[in-house]
Amino acid sequence: MTTMESLIGLVNRIQRACTVLGDYGGDDNNTFSSLWEALPSVAVVGGQSSGKSSVLESIVGRDFLPRGSGIVTRRPLVLQLHKLEGGSQEYAEFLHLPRRKFTDFSLVRQEIQDETDRVTGKTKQISPIPIHLSIYSPIVVNLTLIDLPGLTKVAVEGQPESIVQEIETMVRSYVEKPNCIILAISPANQDIATSDAIKLAREVDPTGERTFGVLTKLDLMDKGTNALDVLEGRSYRLQHPWVGIVNRSQADINKNVDMIIARRKEREYFASSPDYGHLANKMGSEYLAKLLSQHLESVIRARIPSITSLINKSIEELESEMDHLGRPIALDAGAQLYTILELCRAFERIFKEHLDGGRPGGDRIYNVFDNQLPAALCKLPLDRHLSLQNVRKVVSESDGYQPHLIAPEQGYRRLIDGALNYFRGPAEASVDAVHFVLKELVRKSIAETQELKRFPTFQAELAAAAYQALERFREEGKKTTLRLVDMESSYLTVEFFRRLPQEVEKADNPAASNSDRYAEGHFRRIGSNVSSYIGLVSDTLKNTIPKAVVYCQVRQAKHSMLNHFYTQIGKKEGKQLLQMLDEDPAMMERRQQCAKRLELYKAARDEIDSVLSVR
């Protein structure tokens, strides 16, 4: 195989693979569709009944396209020709029937018709959805040809009035691409000035660099006339030479004359023609195929740097996405357990970053201690509890039938116990507030752990295990903080009361002393003393409650949140582990597609290097 055949065959294989992977016709900004568009192909353009189908069949050497009157080609046909070594059996394959090989080309024609009807119905409607057909044969050259619906000027019965514009828009979507080679088909028995194909080609390719003119039906011209002015470039000059074609006659088609015989008749026509004999070696479908193949080689050589660049860019993007998506899950239980532990570590790493300040969220815990807890302590109803009326009531009830002699110790204790009981609420609220923050950080950490996105089942199990652990930490946090409050109630700081000014009995007036004991000032002093002591305890709890919460909840969440989960995982069997690693089907499909694309592009890069190395 020559270097030219290798290059064109390589492009065909890349285009075929892109098509199989669904990259053809994608978003223009997509790297994969950009690769398709960077590869040159040949679009066959012409008016209805201009002979487009006959030209294609002549190039292929097989009778395989539907025929009829009016609009026959109603969907684009992307035809990829792959040259086989001599002696190999030729066959055809459709993209929508990837496992079926067609060796009977009459069945190929029928399948094109059936597949067209499947989308457009048995009407004269058109569809931009292409049919992809590959033909493998020793008698073809490596080419990608795109047969497009014939341009028309009026809608026929059964077609909407918009059909004219729809066809032109569809054809333009192909021929406007800078790497599209335009094969403009015009019948010789009509004035070239009215050619639909030439008119459109002139609009999208004004310099003619991408346009090849093909003149069909030379044998049907009026006697005494010829098409030399067109073929020799005098009527309409193109940068590439015009090529004349003689298609099979309707009689030959009706008799199923073999395309090989038709090619021989075409050669004989030009060789014996008094008008075209001097151009015979540059006429005919065989010459057209070689001409297109040679031009394709030059285009491909010019495009190789950009094609290679696009392939390398695609490989980098795909490898990055494969790393993001993760590798397929191993069937070995040990490997599955390792994967689970790695996922847990990735989650724990992000969770710790939230707590330690690498990511936002941990500062909300400090806000609980610095703002919420002090605010809650300030709002305690201590003023009401230590009001003159309540102090008198509590002290009097504590004395019972025998009033206190010096200081109302039982009254003091009851007032202090009642006041400290109010601290239980803020203590529990601090625990709940931190629990809520930790739970939210778990949710955010799971969402931010990229490795977990492919395993929705495991995400749910991990979240459930983390929430259960946080619940246990919350219960322990409540027990500890409430224990701190109870500790303050269980033993009062004696030194505080010893430092208080002692009440002095008025020895010379026992009656006055007894009356002062139940005076308003006496109860105010008691309330003031209790308030001072509660203030001291409040400052203490303001410092110790955060310590208890951090120790019981934050520290445990940071260092041992998943310990119980690890123990449970260690007891599971391989089947259970695999169920935990049940992937999102969309993620699995995406990874398979990426793997196929990556394999394609690496193979393409290697082939380009191989082909260029033998130049």
Side-chain angles (χ1 to χ4, degrees):
M1 184 179 291
T2 65
T3 303
M4 178 185 73
E5 291 173 332
S6 298
L7 280 172
I8 299 175
L10 170 61
V11 167
N12 267 11
R13 288 191 293 276
I14 295 175
Q15 287 176 323
R16 172 69 174 173
C18 284
T19 303
V20 170
L21 294 175
D23 290 330
Y24 177 77
D27 184 356
D28 289 344
N29 295 322
N30 183 285
T31 302
F32 305 132
S33 59
S34 296
L35 177 58
W36 170 277
E37 293 180 7
L39 302 173
S41 57
V42 181
V44 184
V45 182
Q48 290 182 16
S49 303
S50 62
K52 290 192 299 88
S53 296
S54 295
V55 172
L56 281 173
E57 288 181 334
S58 296
I59 292 174
V60 174
R62 285 290 175 263
D63 188 353
F64 69 98
L65 292 173
R67 293 184 177 276
S69 59
I71 180 169
V72 178
T73 305
R74 291 180 285 128
R75 289 175 59 184
L77 176 67
V78 180
L79 175 63
Q80 292 183 304
L81 306 180
H82 304 263
K83 185 175 180 60
L84 298 179
E85 296 297 328
S88 301
Q89 183 182 18
E90 61 182 355
Y91 64 93
E93 280 185 340
F94 287 94
L95 178 62
H96 62 275
L97 298 172
R99 295 179 180 84
R100 182 177 174 186
K101 292 184 178 181
F102 291 78
T103 54
D104 184 344
F105 282 83
S106 65
L107 296 179
V108 173
R109 181 192 306 112
Q110 186 60 50
E111 182 58 34
I112 293 174
Q113 185 66 56
D114 292 344
E115 178 62 13
T116 299
D117 292 343
R118 186 181 67 80
V119 174
T120 63
K122 293 183 178 296
T123 66
K124 295 183 179 180
Q125 301 292 329
I126 65 169
S127 169
I129 302 173
I131 298 173
H132 295 272
L133 172 64
S134 291
I135 293 179
Y136 300 81
S137 171
I139 62 172
V140 300
V141 294
N142 289 308
L143 275 177
T144 293
L145 299 161
I146 304 173
D147 186 21
L148 297 167
L151 297 165
T152 184
K153 292 183 174 64
V154 294
V156 298
E157 185 178 354
Q159 292 179 333
E161 291 298 324
S162 61
I163 192 74
V164 176
Q165 187 59 46
E166 288 176 9
I167 292 176
E168 182 173 338
T169 300
M170 182 194 302
V171 173
R172 281 181 180 275
S173 70
Y174 286 88
V175 299
E176 285 177 341
K177 294 181 173 66
N179 289 320
C180 177
I181 298 167
I182 304 169
L183 197 61
I185 311 293
S186 303
N189 56 354
Q190 294 180 12
D191 188 349
I192 195 66
T194 64
S195 169
D196 296 319
I198 291 299
K199 177 178 178 293
L200 181 61
R202 182 186 297 168
E203 292 176 5
V204 299
D205 179 34
T207 62
E209 293 179 359
R210 299 188 287 118
T211 303
F212 282 80
V214 176
L215 212 56
T216 61
K217 303 184 180 182
L218 290 169
D219 55 329
L220 300 181
M221 296 185 69
D222 294 337
K223 288 185 178 181
T225 63
N226 60 53
L228 285 177
D229 284 346
V230 176
L231 293 176
E232 293 179 346
R234 291 189 292 272
S235 292
Y236 185 78
R237 179 173 295 278
L238 296 171
Q239 291 200 22
H240 304 287
W242 282 82
V243 178
I245 298 289
V246 174
N247 301 325
R248 288 183 300 168
S249 66
Q250 189 60 48
D252 288 341
I253 294 173
N254 294 338
K255 294 176 184 178
N256 291 323
V257 172
D258 185 81
M259 290 300 302
I260 304 302
I261 296 176
R263 282 182 176 179
R264 189 184 70 241
K265 286 186 175 181
E266 183 184 45
R267 289 194 299 270
E268 291 172 353
Y269 172 84
F270 284 111
S272 61
S273 171
D275 294 322
Y276 311 117
H278 65 292
L279 299 175
N281 64 335
K282 294 183 179 180
M283 295 288 122
S285 55
E286 290 178 287
Y287 173 76
L288 175 62
K290 292 177 182 177
L291 182 66
L292 290 174
S293 195
Q294 290 170 353
H295 180 71
L296 268 179
E297 186 211 4
S298 64
V299 172
I300 291 169
R301 287 190 185 279
R303 298 286 189 274
I304 277 180
S306 61
I307 293 172
T308 303
S309 176
L310 272 173
I311 289 175
N312 288 333
K313 180 183 177 184
S314 299
I315 290 173
E316 290 177 6
E317 291 179 352
L318 285 167
E319 287 179 337
S320 175
E321 184 164 4
M322 286 294 289
D323 291 339
H324 173 72
L325 293 172
R327 301 298 169 179
I329 300 302
L331 298 178
D332 176 66
Q336 293 167 3
L337 181 59
Y338 176 80
T339 299
I340 288 174
L341 295 178
E342 284 295 299
L343 292 172
C344 291
R345 292 190 188 101
F347 158 73
E348 287 183 314
R349 182 173 63 253
I350 291 178
F351 180 73
K352 288 176 182 178
E353 288 177 2
H354 277 292
L355 288 178
D356 294 336
R359 295 171 185 257
D363 56 307
R364 293 169 58 194
I365 295 175
Y366 175 72
N367 183 62
V368 172
F369 303 145
D370 193 50
N371 292 309
Q372 293 184 35
L373 177 60
L377 294 177
C378 290
K379 292 178 181 179
L380 294 178
L382 296 177
D383 289 344
R384 186 175 69 246
H385 180 69
L386 297 177
S387 65
L388 180 62
Q389 180 181 0
N390 194 59
V391 170
R392 178 184 288 114
K393 177 177 179 292
V394 171
V395 171
S396 299
E397 289 176 353
S398 300
D399 283 347
Y401 73 92
Q402 185 174 346
H404 58 273
L405 299 176
I406 299 175
E409 181 174 333
Q410 290 303 319
Y412 269 105
R413 289 186 180 279
R414 287 193 181 185
L415 286 170
I416 292 172
D417 284 345
L420 289 178
N421 192 56
Y422 288 118
F423 283 81
R424 298 173 70 87
E428 288 186 306
S430 296
V431 171
D432 289 338
V434 170
H435 173 77
F436 176 80
V437 173
L438 291 174
K439 195 171 180 180
E440 179 64 15
L441 292 183
V442 165
R443 186 194 65 78
K444 289 182 65 176
S445 298
I446 289 176
E448 293 171 7
T449 304
Q450 295 298 326
E451 296 89 337
L452 288 174
K453 291 187 182 298
R454 57 189 283 209
F455 304 115
T457 301
F458 184 72
Q459 278 188 53
E461 295 206 24
L462 179 62
Y467 293 154
Q468 289 174 5
L470 292 180
E471 198 62 46
R472 292 195 300 271
F473 301 154
R474 174 163 72 168
E475 291 305 313
E476 187 61 34
K478 284 189 176 182
K479 289 178 182 178
T480 303
T481 54
L482 293 179
R483 192 175 291 125
L484 289 175
V485 176
D486 293 341
M487 287 165 59
E488 293 294 341
S489 298
S490 64
Y491 185 78
L492 305 182
T493 305
V494 179
E495 289 299 319
F496 175 85
F497 293 96
R498 286 176 178 171
R499 290 197 298 268
L500 292 176
Q502 298 298 312
E503 294 183 293
V504 180
E505 292 283 351
K506 295 184 178 180
D508 57 341
N509 191 352
S513 175
N514 186 60
S515 63
D516 183 61
R517 184 178 301 162
Y518 293 98
E520 183 177 312
H522 173 69
F523 291 115
R524 288 191 185 280
R525 279 195 301 274
I526 293 174
S528 176
N529 292 339
V530 171
S531 178
S532 297
Y533 182 73
I534 294 302
L536 176 67
V537 172
S538 178
D539 290 340
T540 301
L541 291 176
K542 193 186 300 182
N543 292 322
T544 55
I545 287 176
K547 294 178 187 293
V549 171
V550 169
Y551 182 83
C552 296
Q553 293 177 265
V554 181
R555 183 174 176 274
Q556 290 295 97
K558 185 176 179 180
H559 296 294
S560 59
M561 181 164 57
L562 297 181
N563 283 3
H564 181 70
F565 187 53
Y566 290 144
T567 302
Q568 296 300 112
I569 288 175
K571 298 177 182 178
K572 293 183 182 293
E573 298 179 352
K575 185 177 180 181
Q576 294 172 309
L577 295 175
L578 192 58
Q579 289 175 344
M580 293 179 69
L581 295 174
D582 182 27
E583 286 192 85
D584 180 354
M587 191 78 76
M588 294 174 65
E589 176 66 21
R590 181 61 186 163
R591 186 191 304 108
Q592 291 174 356
Q593 290 293 321
C594 284
K596 288 179 181 178
R597 289 188 176 105
L598 188 58
E599 181 182 2
L600 156 69
Y601 293 131
K602 286 184 175 180
R605 182 178 61 184
D606 293 343
E607 282 201 62
I608 289 175
D609 292 342
S610 175
V611 170
L612 295 181
S613 66
V614 299
R615 289 173 57 181

